[in-house]
């Protein structure tokens, strides 16, 4: 394969270079100006397009086993490839929960058979994600899991969390923490604040998130172990993590595109489609998240891709499930916001490709000779208006239908395969 005339993102030298890229047997063999054709089977004309390392989403819900009507490994993987992703980490809140070797092995069989992207499963910290008993996660990691998480549910019991952290430290496993103190959630459905008062619905306070982050950072410090905080959404979360990092505590975190592209003001119009946990917050939270992206407090962008059926999402704010289908629009949402905020493409690649892999202990993918071909080719300058018909995920539940966004994925390439092509 040869990719001609594109601008590739050279992360080592932080340069954008107009070069041709030759790929043989899935490996990048040559990068140079006007490479001669050598009987390549596939010629990609990347004129005016940009070539980025393949994106990695460290937080997706592909719903299999148990909720195949919302998403399957196959449909989730297809949506990922369309979004420019070559790899994802799946969350274990399926039915059954991924908490035993038998269930994990069955999942890995489905992945092998059905996925066009690389899928790394995570497994539950506690059996059934009940928050009561630790799962045998050491054994699960030996049998094909890559991280532990009770995502979707917090681990309220502090002693149990302490045990989990001690164990994960010993085994050197990444833990991905869903920080939510149920005592402050109040059966709420959206952010507690101006909008919840206007609509007269119960709100979820910011405290429910940041108090838990505070609790777990203290334990990470004491045990000198690393923790990763999922989907941060509040101003205080950014501030607490910033301060912890400055003290050398090993905490990393991710933000979802909906938490920096939008705020709670879209809820009255979008209703349950904009219902997500943690909820869309206030404008001042978004402003602090942007500061956290700019100063490196926030390490990664992860989608928390949470597909649900249209029927479920048509319910009212209390009844509808939490979640936004996010993997197809993450890149355009980020490109659009980053342009507005003057954040460069290198930071974007760091947050959407390099850092997620690093946090999980995977090798970051770079575009250089000798590396495997793992890339996404993007039209960075064109805009598109998002339609529901364009979404290939089973979950059409995104509040960004009708939005005009910058950036169109043209090709996603993994080794010798073009796993997505727009036209
Ligand atoms: O909005 C959310 N949806 N937040 C979560 O933590 C879980 C997820 C889901 O599984 O639907
Ligand atoms: Zn999640």
């Amino acid at each position: 394969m040869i990719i001609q005339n594109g601008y590739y993102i050279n992360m080592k030298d932080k340069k954008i270079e107009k070069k041709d890229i030759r790929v043989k047997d899935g490996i990048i063999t040559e990068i140079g100006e006007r490479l001669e054709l050598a009987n390549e089977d596939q010629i990609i004309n990347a004129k005016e397009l940009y070539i980025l390392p393949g994106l990695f989403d460290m937080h997706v819900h592909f719903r299999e086993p148990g909720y195949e009507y919302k998403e399957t490994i196959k449909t989730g993987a297809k949506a990922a490839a369309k979004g420019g992703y070559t790899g994802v980490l799946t969350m274990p809140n399926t039915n059954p929960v991924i908490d035993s070797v038998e269930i994990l092995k069955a999942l890995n069989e489905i992945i092998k058979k059905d996925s066009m992207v690389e899928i790394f499963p995570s497994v539950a910290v506690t059996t059934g994600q009940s928050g009561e008993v630790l799962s045998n996660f050491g054994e699960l990691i030996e049998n094909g899991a890559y991280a532990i998480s009770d995502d979707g549910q917090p681990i309220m019991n502090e002693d149990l969390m302490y045990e989990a952290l001690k164990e994960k430290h010993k085994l050197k496993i990444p833990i991905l923490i869903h920080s939510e103190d149920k005592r402050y959630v109040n059966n709420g459905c959206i952010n507690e604040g101006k909008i919840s008062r206007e609509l007269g619905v119960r709100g979820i306070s910011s405290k429910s998130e940041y108090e838990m982050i505070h609790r777990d950072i203290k334990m990470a410090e004491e045990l000198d172990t690393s923790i990763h905080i999922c989907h941060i959404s509040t101003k205080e979360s950014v501030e607490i993590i910033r301060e912890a990092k400055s003290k050398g505590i090993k905490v990393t975190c991710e933000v979802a595109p909906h938490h920096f592209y939008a705020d709670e003001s879209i809820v009255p119009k979008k209703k349950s489609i904009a219902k997500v946990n943690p909820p869309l917050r206030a404008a001042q939270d978004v402003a602090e998240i942007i500061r956290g992206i700019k100063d490196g407090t926030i390490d990664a962008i992860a989608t928390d891709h949470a597909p649900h059926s249209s029927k479920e999402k048509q319910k009212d704010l209390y009844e509808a499930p939490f979640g936004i289908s996010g993997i197809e629009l993450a890149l355009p949402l980020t490109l659009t916001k980053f342009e507005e905020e003057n954040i460069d493409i290198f930071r974007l690649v760091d947050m959407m490709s390099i850092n997620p892999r690093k946090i999980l202990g995977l090798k970051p993918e770079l575009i250089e000779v000798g590396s495997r071909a793992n890339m996404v080719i993007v039209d960075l300058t064109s805009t598109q208006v998002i339609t529901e018909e364009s979404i290939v995920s089973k979950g059409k539940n995104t509040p960004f239908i009708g939005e005009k966004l910058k950036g169109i994925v043209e090709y996603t390439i993994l080794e010798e395969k073009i796993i997505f092509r727009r036209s």
Side-chain angles (χ1 to χ4, degrees), residues 59-61 91 93 151-152 178 231 277 304-306:
H59 192 143
V60 304
H61 298 272
M91 287 299 179
N93 64 338
D151 180 61
H178 173 109
H231 44 54
N277 189 23
D304 195 8
H305 178 70

Side-chain angles (χ1 to χ4, degrees), residues 217 235-249 251 253 287-298:
I217 282 178
K235 179 175 181 286
E236 293 85 353
S237 306
V238 180
E239 290 163 349
I240 290 168
I241 293 168
R242 182 181 289 127
E243 170 160 4
K245 283 188 167 188
S246 77
K247 288 201 267 172
I249 301 169
V251 55
C253 68
E288 192 57 40
I289 283 171
I290 293 294
R291 273 194 285 279
I293 289 173
K294 287 181 176 168
D295 72 8
T297 300
I298 304 176

